[in-house]
Amino acid sequence: MNNKYEAVIGLEVHAQLSTKSKLFCGDSTLFGSEPNTQVSPVTLAHPGTLPKTNKKAIEFAIKMGIACGCEIEKTNYFARKNYFYPDLPKGYQISQHTTPICKGGQIKIKTGDTSRYVQLNRIHLEEDAGKSIHDIDEHYTCIDLNRAGTPLIEIVTEPDLFSAEEAWQYVTEVRKLVRWLNICDGNMEEGSLRCDANVSIRLRGEQQLGTKVEVKNLNSIRNVKKAIEYEIERMIREVEAGNTIRQQTRSFDALNDTTFAIRDKEEANDYRYFPDPDLPAFILADEYINGIAKSLPDLPAVLIVKYQESYGLSDYDAAQLTDDKATADYFESVIQHTPSYKNVANWILGPIRQYLNEHDWGFEQFTLAPQKLAELIQLVESGQVNFSVAAAKILPVLAVNNKSALAIASELQLIQVSDTNELGKWVEEALAAMPDKVAEYKKGKKGLIGLFVGEVKKRSKGQADPKMVTQLLEEKLNK
């Protein structure tokens, strides 16, 4: 970006809440059903139908607000937001306007070695629209109303992001947080998490915000970054050419990483908000809010500090273990059976992560009991089994077998031999087989020790303790 200018960005992230039913009726929210099979007279806005608020959606919104340090609004009402929705039969959207359920708050991001908090303006509840499908019929747009009425929270930042990289990090943290709280699956490809970006530029050092452009419906974290990068460069080109930035709504073309105008931007008063007369205000008691707060799991930021200060883990290990809740939960379960915190972290972030990646699984599908992993770690720590052998040969069997790690190691003849007489015999055989290499070693080519260890390993079929073998070899060769 031209250093003459500074970008100012605000994001609106829409998170589809993981409730079983819609925000104002009992229709299912299950993804992937046949079009227009999850609709009722309420979703279809038949005359005389009345909405009823989904209590679980309110609970989920409060969870997110507490996790972000927001002020929870106790007196809430829903408003009608009026503009043409081809895929929302009522012709208006039920949302929150003057009383968002969560006010203020912040979300921590990290770019490079720098961490800071991005300030939030609000988090509010609203219903989703249906889906317009333009590529099924050559002549008509098709409408699927299964999604219409699905509960959303809209997480709105202040204009407090200043680069595409920061926006990328912010959306990554939001997705991580909604998944951690189990209130949204965060699947951007399925539309569960979508982002609108408000982008403006100004001369560096100026305080007044420039004219903003909104880029709508960014459905991947990559697209958020690419769209903002393109829009910043486009706006700089326009200003440098002497043109005026128009306030408009734009869309992103993922095929060539560009944006294009779709309409001039509406102002809030164009929506003609007014309280929905069919939905009474809902009042939140302190006891209800406090009960939700107590039910929240420890958040990643809390666990990172705990893992570093109490368990002596590095910043990297702590961050990786808290990248998703299932990983952190598994780590917490394993350390109930062993105090070897660093070794547990090494196993989870190394061999186990590799095993899961090979099977395209998450920890939700991993069935190895935490106690069994602790036993395998103990087997390696005691010197009975080599780490690489345990990871490559025992772990895959242990993950699908009810036997103990020791039993599997014994059956596969992987228990390391530490008997010096047995080891000495293999060492003698290995050295006798390579007299020329022994001579080279004695002339100063000390790097050959690895070759000798490998030969002993081969002769012992992997059962020789490599540390003791190395010690015996050095004793023999340095005489």
Side-chain angles (χ1 to χ4, degrees), residues 166-270:
E166 283 197 341
W168 184 87
Q169 291 291 346
Y170 171 82
V171 178
T172 300
E173 287 301 317
V174 169
R175 184 173 65 174
K176 176 179 174 179
L177 188 53
V178 296
R179 286 175 169 173
W180 193 277
L181 297 171
N182 198 28
I183 62 172
C184 171
D185 64 22
N187 192 327
M188 299 187 80
E189 292 73 23
E190 294 179 1
S192 301
L193 198 73
R194 308 189 294 277
C195 180
D196 300 338
N198 293 289
V199 185
S200 66
I201 62 168
R202 63 188 177 192
L203 289 171
R204 195 168 293 279
E206 279 194 0
Q207 296 302 309
Q208 186 173 346
L209 294 173
T211 302
K212 72 177 179 181
V213 166
E214 183 176 28
V215 187
K216 297 285 286 185
N217 294 326
L218 299 167
N219 62 358
S220 77
I221 296 179
R222 173 201 176 273
N223 288 356
V224 171
K225 189 170 188 288
K226 290 294 182 181
I228 292 172
E229 285 174 343
Y230 176 83
E231 198 53 34
I232 291 170
E233 293 298 330
R234 183 191 72 83
M235 295 169 100
I236 290 174
R237 287 197 304 269
E238 289 289 314
V239 171
E240 288 288 289
N243 299 325
T244 301
I245 302 296
R246 294 181 61 185
Q247 183 170 336
Q248 58 187 194
T249 300
R250 300 177 70 86
S251 188
F252 179 68
D253 186 342
L255 295 177
N256 56 21
D257 293 341
T258 62
T259 68
F260 57 92
I262 53 178
R263 62 176 180 268
D264 286 341
K265 176 64 179 169
E266 301 91 344
E267 297 293 344
N269 56 11
D270 292 332

Side-chain angles (χ1 to χ4, degrees), residues 436-448:
D436 53 335
K437 297 298 180 184
V438 171
E440 288 181 35
Y441 179 91
K442 291 189 173 182
K443 288 179 181 178
K445 204 168 182 180
K446 302 300 183 184
L448 287 171

